[in-house]
Amino acid sequence: MFGTKKRVALALGSGGAKGMAHVGALKALEERGFSFCAVAGTSIGSIVGALYAKGYSATDIGELLKAIDMKSLAFAVLAAGSVAPVKDALDRILDESDFSELALPFAAVATDAESGEEVVLRSGNVAEAVLASSAMPPFFRNVAIGDKMLMDGAFSNAVPGDVARKLGADFVIGVSLSPAERYVRGSAAAEPQRGISSCDILLEPDLTAYAPTDVTASAAMYEIGYECVADRFNEITAAMRAHHIKL
C-alpha cells in the first residue's frame, strides 16, 4: 500500500454532475494500491468524499450516485419548498451518520452566504454538511447550520487541498473538475484558488465538453476521471517518492 509511513489525503473539488469523474479517479487510485488517511471535499466533492469516508468503495459510490433519480429529486424539492427531500436521501445513504461515526477524518467546505467566507464543517450530521457544501443557488437554497446560512463551497474553496492537509496529511492529491486556471480569472477568484495551490498533485480530468448539469453523461465522465489517473500515474508516484513516501 502507499502512504504507510506518511499520510496521504484526498481533496475533491466542486463541479455538479461532473463529480462522476471523481469516482472514476478514485477507482483508478484504488486499483493502483492507494488508500487515504483523510478526505476533504467541496460541493459534489463533499458528497463523494463523505461516502468514501463512510467506508464505501469507488464502485459502491458509483452505483449509489447512479441510483439517485436527480429529476425526481428536483421535483420533490420544488414540491416541498425545501431541500428536506435531498437531506433525507443523503441520510439514507450515509446511515444518518455524524462526522464522529465515519471511518476516516472528513471535512466538507461550505461558504457563509452573508460574508462569503469559507466554513469548514467537521462535526454534526454529515448529510446536512454536504448539503450545505452543495447548495448552489438558484437550484438549492442556502442551508442553515448553527447561526450561519451556508451555500456552495465553490465560492470560497473550490478544491480544498489546504483543508485536507489540516486533517493530518503529509501529501495531498487534489482532483479539480474544471481547469485550475479558471479559478484565478476575475477579481473574486483568488480565494477559491487557495486550496488548489496546497495540493501536491492536482489531477484535472478534461471535462471541458461537459456542463455541471450533464447528468446523462456520467459514464463518459467516469472514464475520463479514470484515465486521468492512469495517464499521470508515473508523475504521481514520482512526486510521492520526492516526499519520501514509500511505494
Side-chain angles (χ1 to χ4, degrees):
M1 302 296 285
F2 295 90
T4 54
K5 291 189 176 180
K6 289 196 174 183
R7 293 162 58 84
V8 182
L10 195 60
L12 302 176
S14 61
K18 294 191 288 184
M20 283 302 292
H22 282 324
V23 186
L26 184 55
K27 178 64 173 177
L29 290 166
E30 285 181 346
E31 288 182 350
R32 287 158 177 79
F34 282 81
S35 60
F36 297 95
C37 70
V39 57
T42 296
S43 198
I44 186 61
S46 75
I47 295 174
V48 175
L51 293 171
Y52 183 74
K54 177 66 179 175
Y56 288 111
S57 69
T59 299
D60 295 332
I61 295 169
E63 292 301 318
L64 286 167
L65 293 181
K66 284 189 291 186
I68 296 175
D69 186 338
M70 295 304 296
K71 288 184 179 179
S72 295
L73 205 54
F75 282 125
V77 168
L78 290 173
S82 77
V83 293
V86 182
K87 182 181 180 299
D88 291 343
L90 291 170
D91 254 335
R92 284 194 296 273
I93 296 172
L94 291 162
D95 297 329
E96 300 185 357
S97 296
D98 279 4
F99 279 75
S100 61
E101 298 173 304
L102 297 176
L104 291 176
F106 168 67
V109 174
T111 302
D112 186 315
E114 182 175 351
S115 69
E117 294 179 348
E118 173 190 80
V119 177
V120 177
L121 301 168
R122 291 213 56 206
S123 63
N125 178 267
V126 178
E128 185 175 56
V130 300
L131 184 57
S133 178
S134 308
M136 176 64 77
F139 303 106
F140 294 108
R141 64 182 62 185
N142 299 337
V143 175
I145 295 183
D147 61 352
K148 297 180 183 295
M149 293 298 295
L150 303 179
M151 62 182 182
D152 200 293
F155 294 111
S156 57
N157 196 345
V159 184
D162 54 333
V163 177
R165 193 174 300 281
K166 289 176 182 177
L167 295 176
D170 301 293
F171 189 93
V172 177
I173 297 175
V175 184
S176 180
L177 301 178
S178 294
E181 63 182 21
R182 291 188 182 180
Y183 295 113
V184 294
R185 294 176 185 168
S187 60
E191 281 302 300
Q193 175 73 1
R194 181 185 63 252
I196 290 174
S197 63
S198 296
C199 296
D200 295 291
I201 284 286
L202 182 68
L203 303 176
E204 298 176 87
D206 185 2
L207 301 166
T208 52
Y210 303 97
T213 54
D214 283 338
V215 295
T216 61
S218 59
M221 292 187 283
Y222 175 98
E223 289 300 325
I224 291 170
Y226 185 97
E227 291 302 323
C228 180
V229 171
D231 292 343
R232 295 189 63 189
F233 179 65
N234 290 338
E235 181 185 349
I236 296 168
T237 55
M240 293 174 71
R241 284 195 294 270
H243 285 74
H244 307 291
I245 299 174
K246 291 186 177 180
L247 305 183

